[in-house]
Amino acid sequence: MSLSVKHLNGDSTFLLTFSSTDYRIPQPGDSPPPGTFTILLDPWLSGDSSVFHPKFALSKHTIPACINHLSDISPPDVVIISQDKPDHCHEETLRQLDHSLPHTVILAHPAAAKKIRGWKYFNPTKVHSLPIFAEKKPQSIIRFHLPGPTLDASPGEVTVALIATKRDMTGLHNAIGITYCGPSFSNRFSIPISSLQRPHTSQVYRSQSNSSAFDLPGQQRPQSNSTAFDYPTQQKPFLETLPPSPPDTPRSNSANSPTSVSSPASDAFFSRTATSSLSSAPSTTQSVYAPFRPKSMSVIYSPHGITYPHLIPYVTSHLVSKAALPLTLLMHAFDRVQNPWYLGGNITAGMPGGLGIAQNLVAKCWVSAHDEDKESSGLSIKKIVTSKYTVEEVRALAEEGRKGGKVRVDVRKLECGEEMVVKP
């Protein structure tokens, strides 16, 4: 598996391309391999961004976007809007998408989804509010089913969740959690049957083929008489028949293990989370047919920042169950932006906020997001104080406490148009 990250503007617009194989830059006429899934984050290509009124806050790009129009890229499978502020939910840019969204679904923060529907531009059945993640509500996670390339392959899955900060009056500080597990060929093995819990109530978008055609929640779907454990006899049409990834197993001490992390801090974290996730499983192991599923890739996108304690329920329940740790990619600002309390207080948590996430989740890669030096004016910016951090400073702090470990944080500040590839 691999993940391509391309920075489309100088701020927080990114194109993520997940692939079940090693990613390569597509050539004209190429068809994406099975399991490819693309996500466009917070598109803002050109034009102004104002909050309340231009005299209160007005921002403009100082770095031109690397594309002139969203038609310059292939239609993404999903567009994610992390909040309703216009530098994330930019009407002029979003209207560059086909209004019928034949190949795309928009998932947006509830306030942003309401705003987008109010434009009366898009097919309303393709614009959906992201539910706020709640540990005891499986339906708060959006799931996409990725068919395998052959009948004896097990489907893959993409999940999207919105993690909110409690009592955040500004509505800025949240995170988008994404996991990806590509389609894989099936294998037979024995696992505790109790660890295979079917997601009965999760919201599901089912891909009809290898293209981006989705069934939407609320549409009538045929009932399946299949059980959850009869793979690989046939490919199942719905996610409800697919047992999710088994919980992360205790970590191997083998140096050749692809998930081996020798950092003492990370070992302590994984031993806690893995033990707690398996503690309720009975000792009796029953032989069942289940697809072999590799570790998932995981992304936390939080341009304004979120404190690590707010992520813990998502991490210990969802990321552990998806075998999605260590964190593959953290997308978080480096620079800290602060206003007086009466003008909103903290605007962007920056490196001090992202550091706890990177260290606790042993992030493999940290990419700067929302750090463009924009041209800004208005009453709200007159008392702003910005603390800037370089790539070297962020890397040095993120790697503190990992003495003797083998994990190194790949810290990047991508230029506009620059693309990188991250692997599990």
Side-chain angles (χ1 to χ4, degrees), residues 151-153 186 188 226-227 229-236 289:
L151 290 178
D152 64 343
S186 59
R188 298 182 178 187
S226 302
T227 66
F229 311 113
D230 58 357
Y231 284 94
T233 56
Q234 58 181 349
Q235 186 180 23
K236 298 298 177 295
Y289 293 133

Side-chain angles (χ1 to χ4, degrees), residues 154-222:
S154 61
E157 184 183 68
V158 175
T159 71
V160 180
L162 170 63
I163 304 101
T165 298
K166 295 180 180 178
R167 296 180 291 277
D168 177 24
M169 299 302 294
T170 64
L172 297 174
H173 302 288
N174 60 36
I176 301 293
I178 303 168
T179 68
Y180 171 87
C181 184
S184 59
F185 289 97
S186 59
N187 191 15
R188 298 182 178 187
F189 59 99
S190 295
I191 56 175
I193 196 169
S194 66
S195 67
L196 296 179
Q197 300 175 355
R198 295 169 62 185
H200 292 290
T201 57
S202 299
Q203 301 186 46
V204 179
Y205 296 82
R206 178 174 63 86
S207 178
Q208 300 284 359
S209 63
N210 291 331
S211 65
S212 307
F214 298 97
D215 285 340
L216 300 173
Q219 290 185 337
Q220 188 65 34
R221 292 176 282 127

Side-chain angles (χ1 to χ4, degrees), residues 290-313:
F292 171 77
R293 300 183 65 76
K295 285 179 64 66
S296 297
M297 302 187 77
S298 53
V299 176
I300 296 292
Y301 171 66
S302 185
H304 286 266
I306 189 171
T307 60
Y308 177 67
H310 283 99
L311 287 174
I312 289 177

Side-chain angles (χ1 to χ4, degrees), residues 242-292:
L242 170 65
S245 303
D248 207 4
T249 55
R251 298 166 58 77
S252 168
N253 291 325
S254 169
N256 295 324
S257 171
T259 63
S260 176
V261 179
S262 58
S263 163
S266 63
D267 287 342
F269 173 82
F270 283 106
S271 64
R272 290 197 306 270
T273 53
T275 301
S276 62
S277 67
L278 295 173
S279 60
S280 61
S283 57
T284 302
T285 299
Q286 301 186 30
S287 294
V288 297
Y289 293 133
F292 171 77

Side-chain angles (χ1 to χ4, degrees), residues 20-162:
S20 57
T21 60
D22 287 344
Y23 177 81
R24 64 182 183 85
I25 298 176
Q27 302 300 317
D30 284 357
S31 296
T36 299
F37 196 86
T38 55
I39 297 177
L40 179 62
L41 296 173
D42 289 344
W44 174 27
L45 298 184
S46 59
D48 299 342
S49 166
S50 64
V51 178
F52 300 132
H53 190 277
K55 289 185 178 180
F56 181 76
L58 179 68
S59 297
K60 300 178 182 180
H61 285 306
T62 56
I63 302 172
C66 69
I67 58 175
N68 295 319
H69 196 277
L70 289 182
S71 61
D72 294 339
I73 61 174
S74 298
D77 293 297
V78 177
V79 176
I80 292 179
I81 307 299
S82 65
Q83 57 179 268
D84 66 331
K85 304 301 185 291
D87 54 340
H88 300 266
C89 181
H90 194 255
E91 181 175 0
E92 180 182 339
T93 300
L94 286 171
R95 282 179 178 266
Q96 296 175 8
L97 295 167
D98 187 328
H99 69 91
S100 64
L101 296 174
H103 303 293
T104 303
V105 170
I106 295 178
L107 298 180
H109 184 284
K114 181 179 179 180
K115 177 184 287 187
I116 294 169
R117 294 190 195 102
W119 301 337
K120 300 185 184 303
Y121 176 76
F122 293 110
N123 177 349
T125 65
K126 293 295 190 78
V127 181
H128 297 273
S129 296
L130 276 168
I132 304 299
F133 172 79
E135 187 175 0
K136 296 182 180 180
K137 294 182 179 180
Q139 67 271 24
S140 65
I141 295 177
I142 304 292
R143 301 175 187 269
F144 293 83
H145 178 199
L146 305 177
T150 61
L151 290 178
D152 64 343
S154 61
E157 184 183 68
V158 175
T159 71
V160 180
L162 170 63

